Amino acid sequence: EDQVTQSPEALRLQEGESSSLNCSYTVSGLRGLFWYRQDPGKGPEFLFTLYSAGEEKEKERLKATLTKKESFLHITAPKPEDSATYLCAGESGGSNYKLTFGKGTLLTVNP
Amino acid sequence: EAQVTQNPRYLITVTGKKLTVTCSQNMNHEYMSWYRQDPGLGLRQIYYSMNVEVTDKGDVPEGYKVSRKEKRNFPLILESPSPNQTSLYFCASSPSLGDRYSYEQYFGPGTRLTVT
């Protein structure tokens, strides 16, 4: 059974205090590892897709990295508007296109 | 505007009364999917559809039905809702399925369902 585990469950940062969120996965034949952002009461919003170990992608203050067992979302000098729940998801390979989500990390950035 | 729409956004119903939550996308996407989101459990996939007339079970399909007669629509049907189906439901769509590459999913705004 595919599993995706995110840590920590919640993270509180001061504005400008950089940190990382972790996503550990065991997904059969991983086709892609996704990061989404979800604001309260809204649907998840796509951030990144990573395909192979060693890959990195950046967008503004966010950088996502991938190893064979984990993915990290690095947040550099966060701002209050970065506060949200960050979700990690793995898509299985082969003919099975199932997407398994982690439970998310609730990030709060205080001014 | 490219989007995924869901209706209704909020629904309170009683046990056993059949209901349908509609989902429509205007992006000509091949892949569509339904999820439920519960506190402490995260997002769990209910059903997905790789293209018209092709659907498959996700992780929690019990008590739900889907159909994909048209590319743009993917309704979720609860034949006999029960209180344990009280949840926040999301529909999502994706451009296509590649053998090697995955494509990001675009999510709808959600439907909050309460079954009493």
Side-chain angles (χ1 to χ4, degrees), chain A residues 17-34:
Chain A
E17 179 186 2
S18 301
S19 188
S20 296
L21 313 183
N22 176 266
C23 170
S24 299
Y25 65 90
T26 52
V27 175
S28 175
L30 183 78
R31 190 191 311 274
L33 189 291
F34 297 85

Side-chain angles (χ1 to χ4, degrees), chain A residues 27-66:
Chain A
V27 175
S28 175
L30 183 78
R31 190 191 311 274
L33 189 291
F34 297 85
W35 283 97
Y36 287 85
R37 168 191 172 128
Q38 186 175 24
D39 293 304
K42 295 190 175 182
E45 178 185 340
F46 171 75
L47 293 174
F48 303 108
T49 310
L50 301 167
Y51 295 106
S52 56
E55 188 174 3
E56 298 183 353
K57 288 191 177 175
E58 287 188 66
K59 180 180 179 180
E60 296 180 356
R61 295 176 293 282
L62 300 176
K63 183 169 80 171
T65 62
L66 183 66

Side-chain angles (χ1 to χ4, degrees), chain B residues 7 18 20 23-24 26 28 35 41 50 57-58 61 70 83-84 89 95 99-100 104 107 109-110:
Chain B
N7 283 292
K18 181 180 179 181
T20 299
C23 173
S24 183
N26 62 0
N28 201 37
Y35 299 87
L41 296 177
M50 293 185 285
K57 297 177 181 178
E70 307 170 275
N84 65 12
Y89 291 86
D99 288 339
R100 183 176 177 184
E104 67 274 17
F107 283 79

